[in-house]
Amino acid sequence: MTLLTLPDDLRGAFKEPMGPVYTDAERLLADAGDPIVAVGDVVTYHLRVAGRDPDVAVIDGKTKREAVGEEIAAVLDGENRRIEVDNEPATLSTAMLGALVEALASDDPVVIHVTGEEDLATVPALVAAPEGASVVYGQPDEGMVLVDVTAESRREARDLLGRLDGDTAAALSALDGDG
């Protein structure tokens, strides 16, 4: 079930990086907190190649709306526990939000495999992840964006969620573990 939808007039708010952009995964990892939530196939690939399996990886088998190459797919095909969710493009589903909360509560790395699109998962990940964590996502043609989970970044993420169309209260309740 879709809880939130990105309105067309808000698409621009998601174009600007929410944190510093890195092109070197090892440098990013040196600055990252714990746990690490990776949103995107290429980001997850680069973190794994650099020797760090994200605690939570949200992937959909695509990059820039095209299937990832064999090399990336092979690295992403690991032994981690998988949660399968449906999440339509430009939306956040109940299943996606629940999977984020469930994966963050796990002691072992979890891959959330999305049928649809995972692009908006960064925002609820910032709300659900504990302070001190890091959320990493891809900035097309630029690199990887590192967002530290702080009271400020969490407040900004909650504000962005509130600007999406749909049931913000239900979404925040699900992310706070109340739903």
Side-chain angles (χ1 to χ4, degrees), residues 85-153:
V85 300
D86 290 326
N87 194 79
E88 294 299 317
T91 70
L92 289 168
S93 66
T94 305
M96 172 69 84
L97 303 183
L100 281 167
V101 171
E102 181 181 338
L104 282 162
S106 176
D107 291 333
D108 297 314
V110 175
V111 172
I112 299 171
H113 189 269
V114 180
T115 299
E117 192 174 276
E118 93 289 62
D119 292 4
L120 292 182
T122 297
V123 179
L126 285 166
V127 173
E131 283 198 30
S134 289
V135 177
V136 184
Y137 68 93
Q139 189 74 12
D141 301 317
E142 290 185 43
M144 299 170 283
V145 180
L146 173 64
V147 186
D148 294 321
V149 179
T150 64
E152 174 72 10
S153 65

Side-chain angles (χ1 to χ4, degrees), residues 154-174:
R154 186 174 276 139
R155 185 190 59 71
E156 290 172 8
R158 284 175 171 273
D159 178 60
L160 272 174
L161 283 178
R163 295 168 60 196
L164 299 177
D165 291 337
D167 194 343
T168 304
L172 290 172
S173 179

Side-chain angles (χ1 to χ4, degrees), residues 1-31:
M1 176 173 109
T2 297
L3 271 182
L4 298 171
T5 304
L6 178 65
D8 287 339
D9 64 348
L10 193 57
R11 289 182 187 270
F14 289 87
K15 299 288 186 216
E16 286 299 310
M18 299 172 76
V21 179
Y22 292 76
T23 55
D24 183 294
E26 290 176 5
R27 290 190 57 210
L28 180 148
L29 288 168
D31 294 341

